Amino acid sequence: MKKAGQIIKICIFMGMLILPTLLWYGIKFFSPQTFQKLDYDLGEKTAVAFPEEFDIETYTRQLEAYYDDNAPFRSSLISWQQKLSGALESIYGNHLQGPLTRLIYGADSGDFLAPQIVGDIVLLGRDHWLFYTGDDSISYYRGTNALEQEQMAYYLDLMTQLQALCEEKEIQLQFVILPNKEQVYSEYMPSYVVEDAYRRTDRFVDYVRNNSDVPIIYPLAELREAAAQWQTYHRYDTHWNHAGAYIGTQALYQALGLPTTELRDLEVVRCAATTSDLLILGGLDASQYPAEEDYAIRYRPEVNLTEVQGDLQPMSVYTSRSDCGNDTEFVLIGDSFRCFMIDYLTKDFSHCVITYRETSDNSTDYPQEVVESIRNADILVMEAVERYDSKLFPAIERVIQILQATE
């Protein structure tokens, strides 16, 4: 009986491990639409590969990371957990936060909005705005994570090395750091204390400009100015929308010495927003939030794309050819913010290669098509949103190695 009981327990344990995966692939095979709905992406996932080599010190951590990233129903389970967390947070927000704020800060604290985070990484702002707190975003906003002088010098040295290689090979280089959403829409942020208004990115961009001729832009002023007329970031997503991407693209063109076009001079139509990741990450009920709009921008309709490969997913390589006629090889290496720029870039350059900064398999090599495009580029743009600024520099090192290999 004891042995039979052990066998039953082992079978139950193995079933708990195996049945979710079998169910997962059964849904994928018999109902692809349901599978897609359950497996929506929650941002730039790590796409961790199964560990191939055994290392006694790291194997269990690698295995855990693999299953965390590839677990069946991962997105749905996270969302369900966050909805429960969000429900508990809403009880606090609706019934306790106001009285406690008045008790602690006095009756005249109407303009005070204490920070409230749901789902661990979603910050509730004013007027239904949501902000992302992951990747140390709040430190960027509060000005508490400025780079040390030695770190800025190291980063600038890498940028200078790449600039020298690009000049040697007649490639026009441009670095772009894009603002976090809360820098542009700080009026909707809760009442954080800003420790230093001369923040990390401002300080670093000034350091680069004061100590080199490396071309770098941080289009915060342009996006803030445009926000007076256009909404430039999604209310319920951490990314910019189509208008913000257009403004950022025009700031890039200005830095490159290319012609620019004002957004007000184009045909712009309001349309439904297509992304709201922060509602999902926060486990928030979308029906309780006003519907959000985006913009459909009619840009250079006379230009046709003659060849397109890849898609607009954050970790993909997207390539295109157009009949715009300038015979320019344009390469952009960046993060998910680059995706909304594609509609404009592909109309302005004969050949575009727009790729994710990291490789999809976490290797140190880009696909061969990207390597060849970097070597043949007329214009090379290295982009990062500011919360990912430190991830820009391993990519710079990789590009340096690619260009040095052609010498």
Side-chain angles (χ1 to χ4, degrees):
M1 288 293 295
K2 184 176 180 181
K3 186 175 182 180
Q6 289 176 335
I7 292 174
I8 291 172
K9 290 177 182 178
I10 291 171
C11 290
I12 292 173
F13 175 73
M14 293 302 295
M16 292 172 63
L17 291 178
I18 296 171
L19 285 177
T21 301
L22 293 177
L23 177 61
W24 185 239
Y25 285 104
I27 293 173
K28 183 177 182 180
F29 180 77
F30 291 106
S31 181
Q33 290 183 339
T34 303
F35 177 84
Q36 269 193 337
K37 184 177 179 181
L38 292 172
D39 195 43
Y40 52 75
D41 186 35
L42 294 180
E44 293 179 325
K45 292 168 62 176
T46 58
V48 175
F50 191 86
E52 296 181 357
E53 298 182 1
F54 179 79
D55 184 325
I56 194 169
E57 294 184 355
T58 64
Y59 191 78
T60 55
R61 290 199 299 272
Q62 292 175 346
L63 200 61
E64 181 182 7
Y66 170 77
Y67 281 108
D68 282 347
D69 195 61
N70 294 275
F73 309 106
R74 173 183 181 273
S75 299
S76 297
L77 289 172
I78 291 173
S79 179
W80 295 337
Q81 184 273 333
Q82 290 167 343
K83 285 180 180 178
L84 176 61
S85 175
L88 296 175
E89 291 283 0
S90 68
I91 295 173
Y92 167 77
N94 294 333
H95 303 289
L96 298 176
Q97 182 180 4
L100 286 174
T101 299
R102 288 190 292 272
L103 177 65
I104 296 171
Y105 297 99
D108 297 328
S109 59
D111 291 334
F112 183 89
L113 180 66
Q116 182 181 358
I117 296 173
V118 298
D120 297 328
I121 54 175
V122 177
L123 179 68
L124 303 184
R126 304 172 193 272
D127 195 23
H128 291 103
W129 279 73
L130 304 177
F131 297 90
Y132 179 66
T133 65
D135 302 303
D136 206 29
S137 295
I138 300 305
S139 295
Y140 284 87
Y141 176 72
R142 297 185 61 214
T144 58
N145 64 342
L147 292 166
E148 297 292 337
Q149 188 82 8
E150 295 79 7
Q151 192 69 45
M152 290 194 292
Y154 172 70
Y155 285 164
L156 179 55
D157 180 63
L158 286 175
M159 297 166 77
T160 303
Q161 289 182 51
L162 180 56
Q163 183 192 26
L165 282 167
C166 286
E167 288 177 349
E168 179 184 329
K169 299 177 185 302
E170 298 183 340
I171 300 172
Q172 185 174 4
L173 175 66
Q174 182 66 53
F175 294 101
V176 180
I177 299 180
L178 299 175
N180 290 339
K181 171 180 167 180
E182 51 273 15
Q183 311 289 27
V184 179
Y185 285 98
S186 57
E187 66 269 28
Y188 296 114
M189 283 286 286
S191 301
Y192 279 106
V193 175
V194 175
E195 300 288 344
D196 190 346
Y198 190 37
R199 298 177 173 91
R200 172 186 175 116
T201 307
D202 294 306
R203 193 183 298 270
F204 177 66
V205 171
D206 285 346
Y207 178 84
V208 171
R209 290 173 175 169
N210 293 335
N211 293 278
S212 74
D213 58 355
V214 168
I216 185 170
I217 60 169
Y218 175 53
L220 176 59
E222 292 88 339
L223 286 160
R224 279 179 175 169
E225 182 180 350
Q229 184 175 359
W230 314 89
Q231 184 177 318
T232 55
Y233 282 68
H234 288 291
R235 184 179 291 198
Y236 311 137
D237 192 284
T238 189
H239 296 86
W240 58 11
N241 60 15
H242 283 94
Y246 184 84
I247 298 300
T249 303
Q250 297 305 298
L252 169 63
Y253 289 176
Q254 185 174 20
L256 292 171
L258 301 174
T260 60
T261 304
E262 293 287 341
L263 183 54
R264 62 173 175 266
D265 296 331
L266 301 177
E267 180 183 337
V268 181
V269 178
R270 289 186 178 274
C271 61
T274 57
T275 179
S276 55
D277 275 2
L278 293 178
L279 288 173
I280 298 170
L281 290 171
L284 299 168
D285 184 356
S287 67
Q288 302 302 310
Y289 286 78
E292 183 180 9
E293 293 183 330
D294 198 351
Y295 305 95
I297 300 171
R298 186 173 168 82
Y299 184 69
R300 300 197 69 183
E302 74 280 5
V303 175
N304 299 300
L305 300 186
T306 58
E307 181 183 328
V308 171
Q309 293 182 353
D311 55 45
L312 304 182
Q313 295 303 310
M315 298 186 72
S316 296
V317 177
Y318 183 96
T319 66
S320 71
R321 294 186 183 275
S322 75
D323 60 8
C324 71
N326 61 16
D327 294 325
T328 299
E329 301 280 335
F330 177 90
V331 178
L332 188 151
I333 300 172
D335 49 41
S336 55
F337 272 67
R338 77 192 190 283
C339 294
F340 273 17
M341 301 173 72
I342 287 175
D343 287 346
Y344 318 119
L345 296 171
T346 54
K347 294 293 189 77
D348 287 318
F349 301 103
S350 295
H351 183 210
C352 285
V353 175
I354 301 169
T355 187
Y356 187 47
R357 187 175 46 241
E358 281 83 40
T359 55
S360 59
D361 59 358
N362 291 328
S363 70
T364 58
D365 298 322
Y366 286 127
Q368 189 59 33
E369 61 179 323
V370 174
V371 171
E372 293 301 323
S373 298
I374 291 170
R375 290 171 176 168
N376 297 321
D378 296 305
I379 297 173
L380 172 62
V381 176
M382 305 288 293
E383 173 269 321
V385 69
E386 63 180 302
R387 65 175 179 271
Y388 289 147
D389 57 0
S390 62
K391 295 185 178 183
L392 180 62
F393 300 96
I396 293 174
E397 290 181 309
R398 193 175 297 137
V399 174
I400 288 173
Q401 292 170 1
I402 290 170
L403 294 178
Q404 285 177 335
T406 63
E407 293 180 343

